[in-house]
Amino acid sequence: MRHLSDAVPLNPSTDLATDAYRLLLDEVGAFVYTSDLAGRYTYANRLVLAMLGHPLDYVLGKDFSHFFGHDGIDDALSETDRRVMYAGETIAREETHQLPNGTVRTFWSIKKPLHDAAGVVCGLLGISYDITEKKQLEDKLREQKTLLDAVLNNIDALIYMKDANRRFLYANQQAAQIIGAPVERIVGSLDTDLMPREVADGFWAKDQHIIASQQRHTSEETFVDAQGRRHHYWSVVVPWTPVSGTPAVIGMSTDITALHELKEELQRQARTDSLTGCANRRSFLETAEHEFVRSRRQATPLCQIAIDLDHFKQINDAYGHPIGDLVLQDFSACCRTALREVDVLARTGGEEFCILLPDTDITAAHAIAERIRIMTRDCRPSPAHPNLQVTASFGVSALATTDSDFQTLFARADRALYLAKDQGRDCVVVLQATTETLR
């Protein structure tokens, strides 16, 4: 039996019209037909005849427009048929037709030239598969994907999917912005290709645990983006097994940077004096307790300076509270210039301050207090009031082996401060556990 591509145009008298061959073409599950160079049908199998609604004897010799009308023949269809029959091309394309019964169907059609015995093109062979349902399903899936992408790309969260081989399967636009690469590059890439190795390994260790345990995981994470900015996220990562069978994880990370910064700011405010920026009394005492324990454990010195601005109420009464606030701010700035990073300056009352000096002996603590005293006396905090001079009284004490807790040291420094005030103010008093000295 010769191939259809080598056959002459079909008609009821040809070999192809035999019952066996016709049965074969009727059972292939496709729409099979042939036409001559004028576009007239020379053969049509059972599916084509059912679509046209007529028997073979009626169909033969009639062209496409007889059944579909001239409106059913678009320029692309005509151009395709001409290229097949006159240029000898084989063309596969998608076609949509409104059938005689009014329904619209989509076909995947393959058209190739028919040759006569001399090898001359004499017509066209068409094989079409009805892909309407498949096309509708693809369109629906495409629409759902578009909708899903629109939703996921507008959620204020990073969403990604990564398989057990560390390869990204999906990333939304927010994730792409943080990673610093387009989605097209991210999908299919390894995590180590997109972020520093130590960062990728940290995420991978967590992913492995989730895949192994098949348990949902939540945590707070910190990530530095491509511009070096630090972001904080609340992440939810769940295990997932796709159709391929390769385990994967799906992660959703919500940016909580603003909330994290607010939390830190509230914690800072809870520990800081808002006017001077120094530690407040509560924060000072908490830090002091830790330093007391550390000093005892490591046998290192620890000193405290208690300070009171002299006649501060008179300054407020004479110059007003705004100038009084300026004096407090100026004094705390003077103190900072004389202190180390590890030293703790705190405002413990209205005009009262304390300084904690870890790893500092009594001699060094006295020298620091004296330096701040002189700086305070020499400063002029208000240019508008050049005659305003501020002084302060200082009490210094060191941790003794007999001190049972920090409060003992705190009380002794406070006692030294009152001795300084009794001595006429603007001075430093050093008070040891058993002796007191005026300096």
Side-chain angles (χ1 to χ4, degrees):
M1 185 179 294
R2 69 183 68 175
H3 293 289
L4 281 177
S5 60
D6 299 324
V8 297
L10 296 175
N11 60 60
S13 63
T14 63
D15 291 341
L16 287 178
T18 62
D19 290 342
Y21 206 176
R22 180 172 295 177
L23 178 63
L24 173 64
L25 295 178
D26 283 344
E27 298 300 327
V28 295
F31 297 78
V32 182
Y33 65 92
T34 60
S35 67
D36 60 19
L37 293 178
R40 296 184 294 260
Y41 286 107
T42 56
Y43 172 75
N45 75 345
R46 177 176 56 83
L47 288 179
V48 175
L49 297 177
M51 178 182 67
L52 299 178
H54 296 282
L56 180 63
D57 291 344
Y58 180 85
V59 170
L60 294 178
K62 297 179 176 62
D63 64 16
F64 188 85
S65 64
H66 180 84
F67 302 96
F68 293 90
H70 290 285
D71 293 339
I73 306 176
D74 59 24
D75 293 339
L77 180 62
S78 299
E79 176 62 22
T80 297
D81 291 355
R82 281 193 293 270
R83 287 169 58 190
V84 171
M85 292 187 288
Y86 297 108
E89 297 182 38
T90 296
I91 296 177
R93 67 186 292 263
E94 185 180 296
E95 297 176 348
T96 300
H97 301 297
Q98 182 174 357
L99 305 186
N101 64 6
T103 62
V104 177
R105 308 294 292 181
T106 302
F107 301 89
W108 180 255
S109 296
I110 302 171
K111 297 180 180 180
K112 61 188 306 180
L114 281 175
H115 300 83
D116 60 18
V120 178
V121 176
C122 60
L124 173 149
L125 166 65
I127 303 175
S128 298
Y129 300 90
D130 190 336
I131 61 170
T132 304
E133 284 73 21
K134 178 176 179 291
K135 179 71 173 176
Q136 289 173 345
L137 179 59
E138 289 177 348
D139 290 344
K140 185 176 181 179
L141 290 175
R142 190 178 299 108
E143 181 180 352
Q144 289 178 341
K145 182 181 183 303
T146 301
L147 176 62
L148 184 61
D149 283 342
V151 172
L152 295 181
N153 285 328
N154 285 281
I155 289 178
D156 191 17
L158 279 63
I159 302 175
Y160 66 90
M161 187 185 304
K162 195 165 52 169
D163 66 18
N165 298 314
R166 308 182 69 163
R167 199 172 298 277
F168 279 94
L169 305 177
Y170 174 82
N172 70 346
Q173 289 294 337
Q174 284 78 359
Q177 290 174 5
I178 293 297
I179 293 173
V183 171
E184 295 75 16
R185 184 190 160 205
I186 293 173
V187 175
S189 295
L190 298 174
D191 53 10
T192 50
D193 296 333
L194 301 168
M195 57 188 73
R197 183 78 195 204
E198 63 275 10
V199 175
D201 286 347
F203 286 128
W204 176 233
K206 181 186 68 178
D207 294 344
Q208 285 181 302
H209 173 74
I210 294 170
I211 291 173
S213 66
Q214 288 295 293
Q215 297 294 316
R216 179 176 181 265
H217 178 79
T218 61
S219 64
E220 184 174 329
E221 296 176 339
T222 301
F223 186 78
V224 179
D225 66 16
Q227 287 72 43
R229 294 173 299 211
R230 185 177 297 274
H231 297 262
H232 300 274
Y233 296 94
W234 180 253
S235 294
V236 178
V237 185
V238 297
W240 180 68
T241 302
V243 177
S244 66
T246 302
V249 295
I250 299 174
M252 183 174 72
S253 299
T254 304
D255 193 330
I256 58 170
T257 302
L259 182 62
H260 191 275
E261 291 175 348
L262 176 61
K263 177 183 175 182
E264 288 186 334
E265 176 60 21
L266 291 175
Q267 290 176 341
R268 187 194 67 80
Q269 291 179 8
R271 300 174 61 85
T272 304
D273 174 60
S274 59
L275 177 63
T276 63
C278 303
N280 59 20
R281 184 184 183 89
R282 176 183 176 183
S283 174
F284 176 81
L285 293 175
E286 288 176 355
T287 303
E289 291 292 346
H290 289 297
E291 287 298 329
F292 172 81
V293 173
R294 187 185 72 83
S295 178
R296 277 294 175 79
R297 184 175 62 249
Q298 300 179 3
T300 55
L302 177 67
C303 285
Q304 180 186 331
I305 304 174
I307 310 166
D308 191 278
L309 297 184
D310 298 333
H311 307 298
F312 184 72
K313 184 179 183 303
Q314 296 177 15
I315 294 175
N316 273 336
D317 292 343
Y319 297 97
H321 286 281
I323 297 300
D325 290 347
L326 186 63
V327 168
L328 294 171
Q329 292 170 335
D330 185 74
F331 174 75
S332 62
C334 285
C335 290
R336 289 191 184 95
T337 62
L339 299 177
R340 304 165 299 173
E341 188 75 22
V342 296
D343 299 331
V344 182
L345 171 66
R347 183 185 177 196
T348 53
E351 67 274 20
E352 298 171 0
F353 292 80
C354 279
I355 299 174
L356 191 67
L357 301 170
D359 303 310
T360 305
D361 61 25
I362 194 71
T363 302
H366 169 255
I368 292 170
E370 185 63 24
R371 189 180 314 128
I372 296 174
R373 185 187 70 81
I374 295 172
M375 291 171 60
T376 303
R377 188 181 58 193
D378 292 343
C379 280
R380 294 296 181 270
S382 175
H385 303 283
N387 294 326
L388 173 59
Q389 184 181 38
V390 180
T391 62
S393 301
F394 298 77
V396 181
S397 189
L399 183 65
T401 55
T402 56
D403 292 338
S404 59
D405 53 33
F406 175 75
Q407 286 297 329
T408 307
L409 170 60
F410 186 86
R412 191 163 55 249
D414 197 50
R415 172 64 179 158
L417 170 61
Y418 279 95
L419 289 174
K421 294 168 73 172
D422 288 343
Q423 295 292 333
R425 305 178 191 273
D426 189 22
C427 64
V428 177
V429 167
V430 175
L431 184 61
Q432 299 281 25
T434 58
T435 62
E436 39 187 85
T437 307
L438 177 63
R439 301 291 180 95

